[in-house]
Amino acid sequence: MIPDPIRWFGRALTLPLLLMAAPALADDPVPAGVADAMAQSASPQAIAEYRARLQDYLEARQEYETDASAYWSAISEKRRGRNAKRRDGEPVTLDDYVLVQPPVYDGPKRPVDPQPQDKPEPGRERKTIPLVGDLVQAATEHYQFAPQRPAAEVEFKRAYARVALAAGLTREQAVRVYAFETGGNGGHDMQSGLSASRPGSRAISTAIGYNQLLTTNSVELMAEQGHAIVAELTQKAARLSGPPRQALERKIAVVKRMVAFARSVPDQWSEHEKLGNMSQGWAIHAMVLDLDVGPLLQVHKLLTSVLFARQKGYSRPLSAAELEMMNLTGDGTGFDMVTMPQALREQVPTANFFQRNGYERNPVAIRHNTVAKLLAVTDARMDANSNNPGARELAAAF
């Protein structure tokens, strides 16, 4: 199941931010050389001044934390109330949302301690983010399989377009979501944060491909849509013969094993996330790169949102921006925004659709802080990026 909160724009701005986390109480550390120099010159007066400023900071920060905790508790309470209303078939009104923006800390910064520290705080360990090469290696190790990569990017685009049309997605939906997620120039192996035009750039998440699927997405799609994917591959194999058919049948056998692994845990995002952090999960994520399986995984990700809306009685076709909201924030949360009347969209803060940790790390949601503004900036970026070469090439593939 897709989590209600949160993934966000291109994953270059956020990443799967599912758990509430205590906000940081310190600013960036001072470089070691500067700290040493300050420590050597620290005087009793400097130490006393530091302690006074620290007390001011702690008091201001505590006051802010009290306000922020109350605000985000109200957000959660309102969300539970909306969910209960929907279950009971009751209409959701403006009163079911928090209508003020989140509090912003505007107090003093944490002062730098001029005294040497006996035991400097260790830095937070950086989580390993697997790269494309790591994913392929994991697939080789666990499944003795390497994804079938396209000879040229347009080959993948054509495969993606065929699958999207067969699933009932429109060219506009597919192209505009691609344009938004990749900037309109991304390849099938584009990973969030990495760019050939930025030497030294680093991956900031496991998001890969035209729809920027995360490792957990791939595991979840294998668990929930794996049988449908196997059925579609089997139908394709029946139309082939000779070595191509044999190769696809071997691939189907690998996908079946992956489906079994993905379904070995309860159908919950948190459980799929655990698998996604394992090398076996990396191997599953490598299938996003495969010419046969990758388009199916990515189209099914969008299709689940379309079907969710239909099951809820929403018959009007989703705009690309609305589909993107469901794609990024989760079907339940996105559907809340999609079905909201325009008058409410202009008044309801975006914070209503986020957990605190996700919101505070999301400058786009903060800057465009109502539903109407968020949808508008999404549409604007889709408009601009759809003119880029990659998006035009994908449009031509339909």
Side-chain angles (χ1 to χ4, degrees):
M1 296 177 291
I2 299 170
D4 218 23
I6 296 307
R7 291 176 295 115
W8 196 236
F9 287 143
R11 283 70 179 185
L13 295 175
T14 62
L15 269 307
L17 299 165
L18 303 175
L19 300 177
M20 300 284 283
L25 296 182
D27 299 309
D28 292 337
V30 174
V34 177
D36 290 343
M38 293 176 65
Q40 293 172 5
S41 61
S43 64
Q45 181 180 356
I47 293 173
E49 181 180 348
Y50 160 75
R51 289 174 178 168
R53 292 173 59 200
L54 178 63
Q55 183 62 32
D56 290 342
Y57 164 78
L58 292 175
E59 290 176 357
R61 191 74 197 194
Q62 182 57 54
E63 182 178 353
Y64 163 75
E65 285 302 322
T66 299
D67 293 342
S69 295
Y71 179 89
W72 289 102
S73 293
I75 289 284
S76 297
E77 184 63 29
K78 290 285 190 178
R79 184 183 297 120
R80 285 191 291 269
R82 294 196 302 273
N83 291 339
K85 277 193 166 186
R86 290 193 179 93
R87 284 194 301 269
D88 296 337
E90 299 177 18
V92 173
T93 68
L94 190 61
D95 291 337
D96 295 309
Y97 298 92
V98 175
L99 300 180
V100 296
Q101 298 292 342
V104 176
Y105 178 73
D106 59 359
K109 292 184 178 181
R110 184 181 190 119
V112 177
D113 190 345
Q115 302 175 92
Q117 301 296 315
D118 294 334
K119 293 182 180 180
E121 292 185 23
R124 185 174 62 180
E125 185 177 352
R126 185 182 296 274
K127 181 181 178 181
T128 299
I129 298 176
L131 305 181
V132 165
D134 301 315
L135 305 178
V136 173
Q137 182 179 350
T140 301
E141 291 178 356
H142 291 284
Y143 295 97
Q144 297 73 55
F145 176 82
Q148 179 187 352
R149 308 289 288 276
E153 192 62 36
V154 69
E155 185 181 5
F156 202 98
K157 286 187 170 74
R158 288 168 181 159
Y160 181 79
R162 286 194 298 271
V163 173
L165 285 174
L169 296 178
T170 67
R171 180 175 69 169
E172 180 186 20
Q173 288 172 326
V175 172
R176 287 174 69 79
V177 168
Y178 163 86
F180 184 83
E181 290 281 5
T182 71
N185 275 321
H188 73 287
D189 56 356
M190 172 183 173
Q191 184 163 1
S192 179
L194 292 178
S195 174
S197 64
R198 299 198 313 274
S201 60
R202 296 191 304 182
I204 61 173
S205 83
T206 59
I208 289 177
Y210 294 174
N211 292 344
Q212 289 288 279
L213 297 187
L214 298 162
T215 306
T216 310
N217 289 131
S218 294
V219 173
E220 185 150 276
L221 285 164
M222 277 293 184
E224 297 179 351
Q225 307 297 329
H227 294 317
I229 290 173
V230 167
E232 293 173 78
L233 293 174
T234 301
Q235 291 176 6
K236 181 175 181 178
R239 298 191 294 268
L240 303 175
S241 61
R245 177 167 181 167
Q246 294 171 2
L248 185 51
E249 287 176 341
R250 287 194 295 271
K251 187 181 299 185
I252 291 170
V254 169
V255 173
K256 287 180 177 178
R257 290 170 57 197
M258 290 180 172
V259 171
F261 175 74
R263 292 174 65 88
S264 65
V265 298
D267 186 14
Q268 299 171 0
W269 177 268
S270 59
E271 295 297 322
H272 294 147
E273 186 176 31
K274 293 175 185 176
L275 297 187
N277 289 331
M278 300 168 60
S279 58
Q280 294 97 320
W282 296 6
I284 291 177
H285 197 37
M287 298 305 282
V288 174
L289 308 169
D290 186 82
L291 188 58
D292 292 311
V293 182
L296 290 170
L297 284 170
Q298 297 188 74
V299 166
H300 271 287
K301 176 64 180 71
L302 298 181
L303 188 60
T304 55
S305 297
V306 173
L307 295 178
F308 182 91
R310 288 178 187 170
Q311 291 166 359
K312 294 292 185 179
Y314 193 78
S315 58
R316 183 177 65 79
L318 294 169
S319 71
E322 291 171 339
L323 180 58
E324 182 65 19
M325 289 300 101
M326 297 182 70
N327 179 41
L328 293 179
T329 66
D331 289 336
T333 297
F335 188 71
D336 193 352
M337 287 189 275
V338 166
T339 55
M340 184 180 293
Q342 183 63 28
L344 268 66
R345 289 181 178 184
E346 293 174 356
Q347 299 179 68
V348 174
T350 55
N352 283 274
F353 308 98
F354 289 83
Q355 301 255 13
R356 178 181 179 181
N357 191 40
Y359 183 86
E360 291 178 343
R361 293 171 183 258
N362 191 332
V364 175
I366 293 172
R367 196 159 50 244
H368 306 278
N369 57 10
T370 66
V371 174
K373 292 178 181 178
L374 194 57
L375 286 167
V377 72
T378 301
D379 260 325
R381 291 192 179 189
M382 287 179 169
D383 289 341
N385 294 342
S386 292
N387 293 319
N388 289 334
R392 292 201 303 268
E393 186 177 62
L394 179 58
F398 277 81

